[in-house]
């Protein structure tokens, strides 16, 4: 988990990121969470299931039935379905537990994703005012 770093201006203000077009990172996943808003576009693409937890029922997309065999990712890492679930589309971003306040989540990025860059032509992490860029605000909103 040491590759997961918080998104902070002090560490990422001079860096940018690029969207992943390779889904190899999800090869080991058998399911992924879905939001209710995306169910209408995903339902024709993949089987859905429900998971019961303390919080209630959650809807998931079923990606495979065998360990390390995501049926929606080709050998070249390309997504084979019509629609990419938003949870996978937000990679390499995630919300992680705050080590000092475990009831809080911190917006982070997987530094090992290979998607962080110093190329100014890619998507910035922050705007000129030091606030999250519009693209990152949208991802954070979805993850919340």
């Amino acid at each position: 988990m040491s590759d997961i770093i918080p998104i902070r201006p002090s560490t990422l203000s001079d860096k940018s990121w690029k969207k992943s077009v390779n889904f190899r990172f999800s090869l080991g996943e058998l399911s992924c969470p879905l939001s209710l808003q995306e169910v209408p576009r995903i339902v024709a693409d993949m089987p859905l299931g429900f998971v019961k937890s303390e919080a209630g029922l959650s809807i998931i997309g079923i990606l495979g039935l065998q360990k390390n065999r995501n049926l929606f990712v080709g050998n070249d890492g390309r997504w084979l379905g019509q629609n990419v679930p938003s949870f996978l589309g937000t990679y390499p971003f995630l919300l992680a537990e705050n080590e000092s306040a475990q009831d809080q989540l911190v917006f982070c990025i997987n530094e090992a994703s290979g998607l962080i860059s110093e190329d100014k032509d890619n998507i910035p992490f922050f705007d000129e005012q030091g606030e999250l860029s519009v693209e990152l605000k949208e991802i954070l909103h979805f993850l919340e």
Side-chain angles (χ1 to χ4, degrees):
M1 192 88 155
S2 62
D3 293 332
I4 307 301
I5 60 168
I7 296 173
R8 295 190 176 122
S10 59
T11 55
L12 294 169
S13 64
D14 60 339
K15 302 215 182 321
S16 61
W17 61 281
K18 54 187 174 183
K19 292 183 181 182
S20 178
V21 293
N22 185 318
F23 289 88
R24 283 193 178 105
F25 68 89
S26 70
L27 282 172
E29 302 299 323
L30 296 178
S31 67
C32 69
L34 298 174
S35 69
L36 288 177
Q37 294 84 356
E38 69 184 316
V39 167
R41 73 177 170 82
I42 296 288
V43 71
D45 214 20
M46 70 178 56
L48 306 182
F50 295 91
V51 175
K52 186 176 181 180
S53 69
E54 290 179 15
L57 286 177
S58 299
I59 193 162
I60 59 170
I62 298 171
L63 304 172
L65 298 174
Q66 296 177 327
K67 189 175 183 178
N68 295 322
R69 182 67 182 111
N70 182 336
L71 297 173
F72 289 88
V73 178
N75 292 334
D76 59 357
R78 188 173 41 93
W79 186 258
L80 301 175
Q82 293 279 332
N83 297 286
V84 176
S86 297
F87 181 80
L88 299 177
T90 60
Y91 180 82
F93 301 99
L94 65 146
L95 293 176
E97 271 189 7
N98 185 339
E99 291 177 6
S100 58
Q102 291 167 348
D103 59 336
Q104 294 179 349
L105 297 174
V106 178
F107 190 33
C108 298
I109 187 168
N110 182 342
E111 192 174 29
S113 67
L115 299 172
I116 298 175
S117 170
E118 294 187 12
D119 186 343
K120 300 299 180 197
D121 290 333
N122 289 327
I123 305 164
F125 282 94
F126 300 95
D127 62 20
E128 297 81 28
Q129 290 76 35
E131 300 291 323
L132 285 177
S133 66
V134 171
E135 294 86 353
L136 280 188
K137 284 180 183 176
E138 289 173 3
I139 292 170
L140 177 59
H141 177 71
F142 172 79
L143 291 173
E144 289 175 327

